[in-house]
Amino acid sequence: MLFLCYPKCSTCKKAQKWLEGKGLKYELRDIKTENPTADELRGWWEMSGLPLKRFFNTSGNLYKEMGLKDKLPGMSETEQLELLATDGMLVKRPILAGDGIVLVGFREKEWEEKL
């Protein structure tokens, strides 16, 4: 499994601790220094069945500075994915992807059920 996180994020730290507590193996990737590509994001989005907006870090400073709340509705899915790929800080974290599963954000109950 691939675990994308921002090391300074408290939610990512909780998720990582949870994964380690369960003995689950994963490959760690810093979402800020190695942001996901548009193709990766498209694949995860399609596999997840989630609305594309769930992949945006809507509480992040960059999201707010760019005024994306008002801009996203007028953008195509491809444009949104390409925008997400420009900066890992726009992407909701953590993301856990692998073996036919994609989890976005850490909600312990959901992770418990799906893993």
Side-chain angles (χ1 to χ4, degrees):
M1 288 188 290
L2 179 61
F3 180 63
L4 290 99
C5 72
Y6 179 52
K8 296 179 183 177
C9 168
S10 61
T11 303
C12 290
K13 289 177 186 177
K14 285 180 198 169
Q16 189 172 8
K17 186 175 179 179
W18 186 88
L19 287 169
E20 290 170 1
K22 298 289 181 185
L24 297 169
K25 303 281 183 231
Y26 59 89
E27 175 188 337
L28 181 68
R29 187 159 132 198
D30 185 333
I31 205 164
K32 184 171 173 68
T33 59
E34 264 189 274
N35 52 299
T37 66
D39 286 340
E40 285 176 317
L41 288 160
R42 179 177 294 283
W44 297 332
W45 168 55
E46 290 173 350
M47 192 183 311
S48 74
L50 295 170
L52 185 52
K53 186 173 181 185
R54 285 278 306 276
F55 281 80
F56 280 87
N57 180 11
T58 57
S59 59
N61 291 335
L62 189 55
Y63 181 89
K64 292 172 185 172
E65 288 168 11
M66 293 176 75
L68 294 180
K69 177 183 174 196
D70 298 321
K71 292 179 182 174
L72 288 182
M75 296 172 70
S76 72
E77 291 167 348
T78 298
E79 289 170 327
Q80 290 181 46
L81 289 163
E82 288 173 357
L83 176 61
L84 276 171
T86 64
D87 194 314
M89 298 310 282
L90 286 174
V91 182
K92 177 80 172 175
R93 55 190 184 260
I95 294 177
L96 186 66
D99 298 329
I101 190 167
V102 176
L103 299 171
V104 180
F106 179 62
R107 286 179 292 291
E108 188 172 340
K109 185 178 178 191
E110 178 187 13
W111 284 40
E112 192 75 52
E113 290 170 359
K114 302 226 171 148
L115 293 174

